[in-house]
Amino acid sequence: MRPSGCRALSYALDVLVFFAGCVVAVVAGSTVTASGSSPPLVQVLAAIVLVVVMSRFPLVLSQGAGDAVIGFEASVLVFLAVSYSPAAAMATWVAAMVAAHGWSRKTLRTRMFNVGLTTVGGALLVGVIHSYVVQENTIGELVAVVAGCATYFVFDLLVTALSLSVETWTAPTAALRWRSVPLGLLCFVAVDTTGYLAAVLARSQAAWMLALLLVPVGTILIAVRAVSGAQLSQQRLGGLFEAATEAPDWSGEDRLEQALVSKAERILRHTHVELRPQPPAAGEIGCSVAVDGRPDRFLVARRVVSAEPFNDEDARALEALTAVGAAALTRQRLVREMTYQARHDPLTGLSNRVVLTDRLAETITRAPADSIALLYLDLDGFKGVNDRLGHDIGDQLLIEVARRIRPCLRSSDTAARLG
């Protein structure tokens, strides 16, 4: 399938998910309006604020095609689902999702997809919890909550992986690393069941005691952000370390540039990187690859999937990688210059005595004696040119003689200046 077809299919999937979320929101809103059984306004506002805050502390599972972002704000939905009717819980959840994703820095398309995805996933969670008639504050109710959270997590992860797979046109196995799923599921269920604990406290204790849960929940969210940040930092540092250790083995400018682009795509994750003369445009980041004797070019990166915009850490990582690449290019240039100077006459550019001696010895060893020819040329009266006209004119004469000799050579011939 052509890339344009991939994009069209990806757009269609995102629109379908958003439309499904709109259907759920309309059904929930109309049911609450008809029954008049909505939660108190104070609790609705508190739930929205909590969701907005908790959505800023997601667990990021770095996948092959894109990052799967798992939020823990569903714990608020668990509280609503256990405490109120399904329609009232969903209506409040939809309002909270619109507020949370409306503040996001992502593209409008991504925000619409996320609202639809979390709305449908929330409907599955609420449906699972209310599909079994169990007594309050029992193991059965807790099992229903755990099953609902697990259903939400699996649905969110699979649909996200499908969206990333379609957008990048990669296999679903490349868009989802199964080894990261158990840890994400365990963390998601463990954190979101705190919503059930809050509901149990609300049933039996004073309302102010719910504030006691803010400390452990806040600690968990901060720890999750630290784990996610450490994972991303480890990926960046790992890529930079590999680039620094492999740079001396990048032989040739073409290979070096290809390696530089490849390392940048790994370090920044889910990006398209290129070396080009133009500086980065809006939505891109880039650094100048400045090497003496060459026109400046820019190593520019842009996102290829719906993801968070580049941040300061991404920019610093790209800057560090660019420095590694510029140093490698400079080192290769110096090596070429030193090699050239060691084997060529600095004035005429012809091979020097060392090269002539090596070529002559090699030819004598390998070739028959009757196939070897050595021609020695001298310039009569050259000393007089230097004495009368000066050494600068003498140098120009030598350069001109070398220029005229070169067209007379075959590819197997060697011209050298012995002086």
Side-chain angles (χ1 to χ4, degrees), residues 16-39:
L16 178 62
V17 172
F18 178 70
F19 178 76
C22 290
V23 172
V24 172
V26 169
V27 172
S30 59
T31 303
V32 170
T33 302
S35 62
S37 58
S38 60

Side-chain angles (χ1 to χ4, degrees), residues 67-91:
D67 291 338
V69 181
I70 307 299
F72 298 103
E73 59 272 15
S75 58
V76 178
L77 178 59
V78 171
F79 174 83
L80 296 172
V82 174
S83 304
Y84 302 100
S85 66
M90 282 306 304

Side-chain angles (χ1 to χ4, degrees), residues 64 75 113 148 169 171 190 240 253 273 353 360-361 366 387 406 418:
S75 58
F113 171 79
W169 199 241
L240 288 173
E253 291 189 4
V273 181
R353 184 186 297 268
L360 188 59
R366 296 185 178 182
D387 293 341
R406 285 194 186 92
L418 302 183

Side-chain angles (χ1 to χ4, degrees), residues 74-86 89 121-135 140-152 192-193 195-196 199 203:
S75 58
V76 178
L77 178 59
V78 171
F79 174 83
L80 296 172
V82 174
S83 304
Y84 302 100
S85 66
L124 292 175
L125 185 150
V126 174
V128 170
I129 292 178
H130 286 273
S131 60
Y132 300 97
V133 180
V134 295
Q135 295 182 352
E141 189 178 34
L142 177 60
V143 170
V145 168
V146 171
C149 293
T151 302
Y152 181 102
D192 287 351
T193 49
Y196 176 67
R203 292 167 179 169

Side-chain angles (χ1 to χ4, degrees), residues 240-386:
L240 288 173
F241 179 77
E242 286 186 3
T245 54
E246 296 175 4
D249 298 328
W250 294 341
S251 58
E253 291 189 4
D254 292 340
R255 181 183 174 188
L256 191 151
E257 292 176 356
Q258 293 175 0
L260 195 62
V261 169
S262 175
K263 293 299 181 183
E265 290 179 345
R266 176 189 169 182
I267 291 172
L268 299 180
R269 306 173 346 275
H270 330 308
T271 58
H272 174 73
V273 181
E274 60 179 343
L275 271 169
R276 69 188 193 196
Q278 299 81 16
E284 299 176 336
I285 59 173
C287 294
S288 174
V289 183
V291 179
D292 292 341
R294 293 187 51 183
D296 288 354
R297 289 187 298 171
F298 295 87
L299 187 65
V300 179
R302 69 173 183 272
R303 294 292 191 196
V304 295
V305 296
S306 301
E308 290 284 350
F310 293 111
N311 53 32
D312 294 338
E313 287 76 13
D314 294 326
R316 285 194 291 267
L318 185 62
E319 182 179 355
L321 181 63
T322 302
V324 172
L329 285 171
T330 302
R331 182 170 56 251
Q332 287 190 4
R333 181 181 61 82
L334 292 175
V335 168
R336 287 195 303 270
E337 291 179 355
M338 294 176 65
T339 302
Y340 182 86
Q341 293 175 3
R343 299 178 65 84
H344 291 80
D345 175 58
L347 179 63
T348 63
L350 298 177
S351 300
N352 58 16
R353 184 186 297 268
V354 175
V355 175
L356 178 63
T357 304
D358 292 343
R359 297 274 175 88
L360 188 59
E362 181 181 0
T363 303
I364 293 174
T365 302
R366 296 185 178 182
D370 57 358
S371 65
I372 302 174
L374 178 62
L375 177 63
Y376 181 84
L377 299 178
D378 196 6
L379 294 180
D380 293 338
F382 181 69
K383 183 177 182 303
V385 173
N386 279 336

Side-chain angles (χ1 to χ4, degrees), residues 106-267:
K106 296 181 179 179
T107 62
L108 177 61
R109 171 192 165 193
T110 304
R111 284 180 283 173
M112 293 173 61
F113 171 79
N114 287 338
V115 170
L117 178 65
T118 52
T119 298
V120 177
L124 292 175
L125 185 150
V126 174
V128 170
I129 292 178
H130 286 273
S131 60
Y132 300 97
V133 180
V134 295
Q135 295 182 352
E136 295 182 351
N137 302 342
T138 61
I139 295 296
E141 189 178 34
L142 177 60
V143 170
V145 168
V146 171
C149 293
T151 302
Y152 181 102
F153 175 87
V154 173
F155 172 79
D156 189 307
L157 193 62
L158 291 180
V159 175
T160 301
L162 177 62
S163 176
L164 295 173
S165 175
V166 171
E167 186 166 357
T168 57
W169 199 241
T170 56
T173 53
L176 180 62
R177 293 177 182 171
W178 293 100
R179 290 182 299 176
S180 62
V181 172
L183 175 61
L185 177 61
L186 180 62
C187 293
F188 185 83
V189 173
V191 174
D192 287 351
T193 49
T194 58
Y196 176 67
L197 176 60
V200 172
L201 286 176
R203 292 167 179 169
S204 58
Q205 304 295 331
W208 65 267
M209 295 193 67
L210 295 178
L212 297 177
L213 294 177
L214 295 178
V215 174
V217 171
T219 303
I220 293 173
L221 293 178
I222 294 175
V224 166
R225 168 172 280 189
V227 169
S228 299
Q231 181 186 19
L232 297 180
S233 297
Q234 183 180 10
Q235 291 181 2
R236 295 191 189 98
L237 291 176
L240 288 173
F241 179 77
E242 286 186 3
T245 54
E246 296 175 4
D249 298 328
W250 294 341
S251 58
E253 291 189 4
D254 292 340
R255 181 183 174 188
L256 191 151
E257 292 176 356
Q258 293 175 0
L260 195 62
V261 169
S262 175
K263 293 299 181 183
E265 290 179 345
R266 176 189 169 182
I267 291 172

